[in-house]
């Protein structure tokens, strides 16, 4: 039987190393609008998001949103929306990527309380679906298919 890696690489996938945190989350490095950041990979998050505090860091153009965010122990949180961002994970790149902005302080507080690094945001199912993602939990790799 062929290895998963060989199978995917022959089908124009790239592999990205994942790092397991003390909180049992996978961290991933990504670039938004040319700026590097640290993110949690969250298959349960419907949309990718960043915190309000990184608006300047990632050069985001934001608009208010009527949508309320919920998750990770918080609910009914104010959000903003930023469209047309360039997201790069390894050699995988997606233009016109929308991002939800909301207060990530509760997430980062939980992470730092468990000796993990704070993150700039969350890579969610929207990006994973666009990249036809495959996660190798055992070897700690994310595979994304190049467009």
């Amino acid at each position: 039987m062929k290895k998963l890696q060989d199978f995917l690489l022959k089908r124009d996938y790239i592999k990205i190393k994942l790092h397991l945190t003390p909180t049992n989350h996978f961290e991933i490095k990504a670039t938004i609008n040319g700026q590097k950041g640290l993110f949690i990979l969250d298959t349960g998050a419907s949309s990718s998001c960043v915190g309000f505090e990184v608006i300047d860091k990632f050069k985001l153009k934001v608009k208010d949103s009527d949508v309320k965010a919920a998750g990770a122990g918080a609910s009914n949180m104010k959000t903003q929306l930023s469209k047309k961002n360039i997201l790069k994970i390894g050699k995988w790149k997606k233009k016109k990527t929308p991002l939800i902005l909301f207060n990530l302080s509760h997430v980062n507080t939980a992470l730092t309380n468990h000796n993990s690094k704070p993150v700039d945001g969350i890579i969610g199912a929207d990006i994973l679906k666009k990249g036809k993602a495959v996660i190798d939990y055992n070897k700690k790799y994310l595979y994304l298919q190049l467009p």
Side-chain angles (χ1 to χ4, degrees), residues 33 50-56 58-65 78-83 85 99-102:
N33 300 328
V50 295
F52 289 131
E53 64 280 355
V54 297
I55 291 172
D56 292 335
F58 292 128
K59 304 171 191 164
L60 303 175
K61 295 177 184 168
V62 298
K63 294 182 180 180
D64 286 332
S65 171
K78 176 188 167 203
T79 64
Q80 291 181 308
L81 178 63
S82 178
K83 298 181 180 179
N85 298 290
L99 296 167
I100 305 295
L101 288 89
F102 71 101

Side-chain angles (χ1 to χ4, degrees), residues 96-113:
K96 297 182 182 177
T97 301
L99 296 167
I100 305 295
L101 288 89
F102 71 101
N103 185 342
L104 280 179
S105 63
H106 65 287
V107 172
N108 282 324
T109 297
L111 290 170
T112 56
N113 283 345

Side-chain angles (χ1 to χ4, degrees), residues 16-19 26-41 48-50 57-58 86-94 97 99 119-124 127-128 142 144:
I16 300 106
K17 184 69 178 161
L18 299 171
H19 300 279
F26 278 131
E27 281 179 347
I28 187 168
K29 294 178 182 176
T31 303
I32 297 174
N33 300 328
Q35 301 301 310
K36 294 178 183 177
L38 185 64
F39 299 84
I40 287 176
L41 186 69
S48 295
C49 52
V50 295
K57 175 180 178 175
F58 292 128
I86 299 169
L87 175 68
K88 190 173 179 198
I89 303 172
K91 293 179 182 176
W92 187 87
K93 185 176 179 179
K94 182 70 177 159
T97 301
L99 296 167
V119 295
D120 296 306
I122 297 167
I123 301 296
I127 297 302
L128 298 174
L142 169 68
L144 297 173

